[in-house]
Amino acid sequence: SDKSSTDAGSGNASSGTAGDTAGQAVATDLKYPLSQTIPTLDPHLSLGGSNATVVLNVFEGLFAFNSKYEPVPMLAESYELSADGKTYTFLLRKGVKFHNGKEMKAEDVAASLNRWKDKAARAKSSFGDSQFAVQDDYTVVLNLKNPQNDTLAQLSHVLNFAGIMPKEVIDSAAPEGVNAYIGTGPFKIVEWKKDQYVHVTKFEQYQSLKTAADGFSGKKEALVNNIYFTLATDNATRFSSFLSKDFPYVDVSLDNLPKVQNQPDVQILKNLTTDFNLVFNKKSPLFSNVKNRQAVAAVLDADQILLGIVSTPDLYRLNPSYMYKENSKFYSEAGKENYNQKNPDKAKQLLKDAGYNGQVVTLLTTKDTGNFYNATLMVKDQLEKIGVKTKIDIYDYATMLTKRADPNVWDIYVGPFTMPSTPSQLLYLNPTYGFADDAKLAELLKKSTSAIKPEEIKAANDALQQYQWEYLAAVKIGDTYSYSAVRKNLTGLTLFSGFPNLANTKLLK
Amino acid sequence: MPNEQILLDIQALRTRFYTEAGPVAAVDGVSFHVNKGEILGVVGESGCGKSVTAQSVLRLFDERRTASYEGRISYDGRDLLGLSERQMRDIRGNDISMIFQDPLSSLNPVYTIGDQIAETIRLHRRTGKKEAYRKAVDLLRLTGIPAPERRVGEYPHQLSGGMRQRVMIAIALACEPGLLIADEPTTALDVTIQAQIMELIVSLNRKLGMSVMLITHDLGLVAEVCDRVVVMYLGQVVETADARTLFAKPRHPYTIGLMQAIPRLDGDRSKPLKAVEGSVPSLHDVPGGCRFAPRCAYADDKCRNDMPELTGLKDGTAVRCWHADHIDGMEA
Amino acid sequence: MTVSGESRPVATPLLQVNGLKTYYTAKQPNGFRKAVVKAVDDVSFRIYEGETYGLVGESGCGKSTLGKTLLRLTEPTAGEAVYRERDLFRLSRSELRTLRQELQIVFQDPFSSLNPRRTIGKTLEEPLAIHGIGTPKERTERAFGMLRTVGLPAEHYYRLPHELSGGQRQRIGLGRALIVNPKIVICDEPVSALDVIIQSQMINLMRQLQAELKLTYLFIAHDIGVVRHISDRIGVMYLGKIVEEAPVDSLFSTPLHPYTKVLLSAVPNPDPVRKKERIILQGEPPSPLDPPAGCTFHTRCPYATELCRNTPPPKREAAPDHFVACHLT
Amino acid sequence: MTEIASDARVAERSTLAGSQRRLFYRRLLANKAAMAGIALIVLLAVVSLFAPWIAARDPQDVDIVKRLTPPSPGHWFGTDNFGRDVFSRVVYGTKISAEVGFAVALAVSAFGLVIGLYSAMYKWLDQLLMRFMDGLYAFPAVLLAIAIMAALGPNAGNLIVCLIVVFVPSVARVVRSAALVAREQTYIEAMRALGASHTRIVWLHIMPNTLSPLIVQGSFVFAEAIIVEAALSFLGAGIPAPTPSLGNLLSDGKMFIYNSWWMTLFPGLALMVSVLAMNLFGDGVRDLLDPHTRQARKGKSRQ
Amino acid sequence: MGTYIMKRLLALLPVIVIMSVVVFLIIYLIPGDPARVMLGDGADEETIRQLRGQMGLDLPLVEQYLRWVGGALRGDLGNSFFLKQPVSEAIAEHLQPTVSLALLAELVALAIAVPFGIRAAVRRGQFADKALTAYSLLGITIPGFLLSLFLVLLFAVRLRWLPVSGYAPLSDGLWNFLQYLILPAVSIGVVISAVIARIVRSSVLEVLNEPYVRTARSKGVSERALVYKHVLRNALIPILTVVGGTFGTLMAGAAVVETIFNIPGIGQMLVHSVERRDYAVIQGLVLFIAFVYVAVNLIVDLLYAAVDPRIRLGK
Ligand SMILES: Nc1ncnc2c1ncn2[C@@H]1O[C@H](COP(=O)(O)OP(=O)(O)OP(=O)(O)O)[C@@H](O)[C@H]1O
Ligand SMILES: Nc1ncnc2c1ncn2[C@@H]1O[C@H](COP(=O)(O)OP(=O)(O)OP(=O)(O)O)[C@@H](O)[C@H]1O
Ligand SMILES: [Mg+2]
Ligand SMILES: [Mg+2]
């Protein structure tokens, strides 16, 4: 809608290019805002948000996403997949140095990935007991029980990131995380002042790929010497700091947008950030009955809910698929007739059939972060319009997490989900998250990940999504964007689902 | 008539307070004078306006908000009511100083007594700190405080009541004032201490020639130390006289009542005390006519309707009573 | 005066106090050691029915403590107080409660001794309510009656204390004590706060009521003139001890203790012609925290000897009914 | 001296009491602050009682199409980001905040009164209770709020419990110190001399003396409870949304403060008015009670 | 004096015992699990269980408490899993910013409140008095975030006089240190000054009626010296009490302002620790706050004695 903003439908947004500024004086230090506290910098435990902002610039995996969510080799030179799709052989790049100066070898990779696989729920459910094994110094082998078409995506995904660390670090790790943060990325950690800032500095011995930079893949060159990831939890403070040129980048709320929108030295970026889903508690008395779930799906008006979340039509899009459109491998429109139905009559009928008689539906949410609450409020409103009694239980984030793990205290949870890239990463298809308990669903999920050929994948994925729209583990609501602002003297910044790739980023004076 | 002898001359002083229920004249047309070197006693029942008169002399009430003064107060020929606040400050503590009834609450609890004495000296005399302190010690010695060098550094609460009152006197004497107003200086003290303090005041009056206006309701005290006496009732002077004359022949019925109310050591115990009946009316509800009429045994219609003036008699006594001539105070 | 000193029958006393001691423990100013204030130290005396026993002494000598101890408002440290054959200090709570009707007190401060928020009527009725005497209507009647007795107009029933003058309040204080028909009234400086005219009214009233109601007073004051006027016998207190005790006339005609002499000479005489010789005491009263050894008065006594400094003087009967504790008499 | 209570004199009773009352009213009327406070409290009471009639719309009615519209005849105070009518939300928010404030002030006064009175009366109890109060006082309110809300469930009732715990220590202290002063008054000793029971002394004679500081402190707690609720709303531990408390409205408004100022301004004003009302009232009460005590003091200095 | 201080500190023991039990019970009551927070949304249940075991959360409550008390008695408040450092060390680190901020805020508050309150008292009922009423009401009601926002926009964004947020320790130079603290100190100071100014007003009014003020006036003391020398010092005790109280409250109560201005202080630490259920830190902080509270009271009492010679400690 506005010319100054760069629409990055792909989930990527970039500011300027690094090339056209040669000759200008550059700053050596950069301050980058963090909006939430960081519990840990252990990449395997990292949960997105502020963690990923730092972690993705310090650690690297065997693969990395490009802007189209395609896994591209990063620390892997190449890989081979056996014909049965069960054995992956990863060849590692040679001469890659850890921040401690040691060269990365297969033993490091195997140790890292085996630990990661145990820590990340999504990896565990994909790989089960399969182990990454050292074949020789530069070769790691993974033997799977079944084919897993999401293997590379899992290795690239930014949450519970499969970063490679030295074996010693892995071996000495405690349950609460590794004791040293040593990766292979273009920046190395100098100091982590808890709850204040993370100071990283250019890693001089970084071995960059020569391929073009794209998303988190390709060439990475540290163009600033120091980055201070600075915690500023207050919206207004972050924004004021941007206005006073303290931060060259900031997330911009709708309310703040006009203040930066037409500034000549500010570029507005629009990032695809999250998709919203309504998750049922399939063990709750009400929503163990699929009819009730269908009733909810029938009444939802996605436009209104999304508008309620972001307050402007510019910042959302409808999307019937559990995957982003950009994710060509898994995007599917199967079952879309059940999306955004806006059909109260049908809903009422379904409720009647299911024997609903005024039980209170508990909506679990938090106001601490994200737009959980806005979305929940809109859903509540729509449910009440068809005569469903509702109650919103708001807790702080920590309490909310614990409550959500308890099947007895909630019915519906509406929340944002960060960048699913394969169906196996959809938390709500997981029995622990919303307590889905359906053999067919599990079967279809398995099929969709074990298919190998693109047509098979497509067919399996269509079937999975079709069934989900009937089983309704969750209801997809839509995708949302957010604005951020970048000073034009900050060039080459790449944002991927809101996470910055600060390599190749240059700050002009 | 300008008189060499007169130090303080109060003419028709009227001090009004702004209260919630309207303005009240706590002092209403008071006239009397203090001669040089004399001790003048001001007596009267509680609430009759003794303290207000005294504080009006120094203009201690806040004229912006609390009170207004009318009439004339001249000190050594200067009209005090016409002075500016700054000029008035030079008078206070310097020409006229005052000591109050309650020695504990009248001293600032957070400063040493030395500080408080020295402060007065330095306000009115150009002296250094050390000098002022030395003077403070001298003053304490003068008032008979033992070991003044040690006491000077102590705080009021460390002293007994009698000593505190001595400190008050030392402060008052700091600048050798011409007039000392002592507002019930011994009421809060024990009889034995009371005697010590009065002894001190009298000796200072003798030694320094300083005039004293002694406010009290203890007629016994007045009889012992005062040269002349002013008797007040409900904001007015009802009688002024030479002390001997007053005690020998009180004229005003109120003065008579006052004298009879005191249990004398030589009085007859078997008879009840002679007490004036009733109590002082409120200032908001002042009787027309003679103010004492409602409680007066001699009152007639004239008394109830017309206010008598303070009239001078031959022996220098002045009385505010229609029946002054035919009342013999000691008859009762 | 109902019963004069001389015509007193040899009857048993109404109240007999023997060896009463009341000590307070106070923290010492500088440290943590507890110090003992001997506020009342071995005091014995008797009060006979219908008489007024006056107690004088300077501030802090223990007069109020003595009064309060008799009423058990302060617990005694030792001694006994026999009232109608019962030791007041050994009564149980409930016995004490009933006996309280017979022993009442009037306080010095007319301003803080009445609850500023309760009307006069309520204040007067309260003692009756506490002891469950009469119906509410009867209590109201008695309150009106008591107002009349103490010489106040009935309209005062509806007033609050701050609407009364000091003298009027003190009458209420007296009324509150009298409404339960006490035998003994302890008057703790009931007129000290009043000015002379009101004071004389009050003294007259108290004497009149004593005659009408057959009261016995323990009258505490520091003004020896007042005490003389109302008392039959007088005790002079100094630093927790009674130093001299005698019928009024005897005490005034022949004071024996030096302190009594000082007290008598300190009273100003309203007669400018007959100025009298004053004994002016030097020095300050000693602290009860640290009383002098020997005779407690020796530090200020003009006649003190070595004996006085070392040995506490015993109490002895110098003349009939005239007791004194001094080595020099 | 022994006048007889004639009927005429007794009849003065009504006129006397009447003139007393008239004097009180005169003083009250002359006290502009107290009058303004009372007027505002009446306004608050009216708003609270008649909220459903004053607010034309349901404060929770979402109309997303009309979101963030500025004040207009249809929506006097504009709408919020969900298209809810800000006027209705402010009306209900004021009602709820006032209710919370009132409930807290009342309960805190009651607890504070009992605790304060009895710790002033008994030394051993004093040690126990005051140490406990010290602990509570030092306890961080945020932690307490999150704990209570999370443990007992997020609702207004539990928030009130939390605020009560937060404020009881300060009120108990005020009552205690007033009671300690009262306890030393001679008339309390007089009551003991008369054989009055402790209960009688505490409740009939000491308690009334603590009332005026208690009222002042209570009105302060009322105001402070509203403010603390607002602060807790920022941390997500206030009255749980979507219930429109003033705190919730303010924390919603913060997100849109530049462009939709009405979302902050009106609840902010409502907050100020509520707090102002109680502060003025408290000050007024103190002033009203003041002349009385001053009179008594002046009298005393006369002795 | 020394014994007095010891005694006061000993009196702290029961408070601490009560607080520690209460805080343990509360932690037991609050849902939420540090392991889950640390490991996040996508965490594996097995890992969560392991981590809980590591954190000692699977032990019975009483045992957890006794362990902790055992440590605390030896001066060991435990370690934070999130901060990866001993709790006492973490508290020490966050102390300087908070104490500096609190001191500066009190300074700002006093600088406003004392002259203002005195003027209002002396000019009772006149303009200054009414202005004070208005000011204090505004100060009490204005939401802290609004004031901070306004100050930041004006002084940091528009005028560029001061940085928006952050903190520099005193070792970085005085101006560096101050520039970060000025705005937050003003935001807090204004609110506190509203409270203090009222106390100043009322206690000065009270003292103005004292007889010794009349004595001073009768000595010829000027109005100014009267108020600043004779009245203020006597009026100081209630003022000190309030200052001490607000100072104690600021220890944990400045969380909002600390967050807005990004000051790594105790308040922010507490909020973060509660958010992520960092039990060791919460317990340590609560104890610490109680201690500070008592210490501040003690200091206030010592100041009482310094201000007023009548007050003797130990009584
Ligand atoms: N500031 C004031 N405002 C209003 N009325 C006052 C003020 N000061 C004194 N009064 C009134 O003026 C009258 C005279 O008071 P004053 O203090 O002069 O009496 P007094 O003769 O000194 O009595 P006492 O012997 O009790 O000291 C009293 O009725 C008193 O109430
Ligand atoms: N509760 C108490 N605790 C400690 N010491 C006390 C207590 N009450 C009184 N005292 C001390 O006991 C001594 C006697 O006090 P008391 O009040 O009996 O004296 P008093 O003769 O009535 O004096 P006054 O004439 O001033 O009323 C004084 O030194 C006083 O300080
Ligand atoms: Mg006077
Ligand atoms: Mg006494």
Side-chain angles (χ1 to χ4, degrees), chain C residues 41-57:
Chain C
D41 195 12
D42 199 3
V43 163
S44 306
F45 64 96
R46 343 173 135 193
I47 301 179
Y48 296 92
E49 187 150 14
E51 80 164 342
T52 300
Y53 186 91
L55 199 58
V56 282

Side-chain angles (χ1 to χ4, degrees), chain C residues 24-26 37 39 58-66 108 189 222 288:
Chain C
Y24 296 108
T25 46
V37 181
E58 65 196 323
S59 182
C61 70
K63 306 183 295 287
S64 301
T65 305
L66 177 60
Q108 164 175 11
E189 314 212 15
H222 59 243

Side-chain angles (χ1 to χ4, degrees), chain B residues 44-47 160-163 166 187 189-196 198-199 206 217-226 243-244 247-248 254 257-280 295, chain C residues 1 57-60 63 165 168 171 194-204 207 222-232 247-249 252 259 262-276 278-285 300:
Chain B
E45 227 169 325
S46 189
S160 70
M163 284 205 263
R166 287 166 200 258
T187 321
L189 305 175
D190 270 321
V191 266
T192 55
I193 309 294
Q194 188 172 329
Q196 292 174 10
M198 277 328 295
E199 186 82 0
R206 303 256 160 79
H217 46 227
D218 187 343
L219 277 169
L221 198 60
V222 168
E224 287 195 1
V225 305
C226 293
R244 281 171 182 271
F247 283 94
Y254 174 66
L258 214 48
M259 289 195 178
Q260 290 173 337
I262 306 168
R264 289 168 169 254
L265 286 191
D266 51 4
D268 184 355
R269 295 199 296 124
S270 58
K271 281 202 207 129
L273 293 165
K274 284 236 164 151
V276 179
E277 292 300 323
S279 55
V280 189
R295 301 171 74 189
Chain C
M1 208 111 334
E58 65 196 323
S59 182
K63 306 183 295 287
S165 71
Q168 289 167 332
R171 288 169 191 243
L194 308 175
D195 75 47
V196 271
I197 290 185
I198 311 289
Q199 178 178 300
S200 57
Q201 291 175 358
M202 192 72 193
I203 289 173
N204 288 345
R207 286 180 52 164
H222 59 243
D223 184 336
I224 206 158
V226 169
V227 172
R228 171 180 176 271
H229 203 84
I230 199 166
S231 308
D232 302 306
V248 178
D249 296 327
F252 277 76
Y259 181 62
V262 171
L263 275 189
L264 292 178
S265 86
V267 178
N269 187 6
D271 186 347
V273 189
R274 274 192 5 213
K275 290 205 173 158
K276 65 178 179 212
R278 268 226 172 143
I279 311 170
I280 298 211
L281 271 187
Q282 292 311 310
E284 306 283 330
R300 301 168 80 197

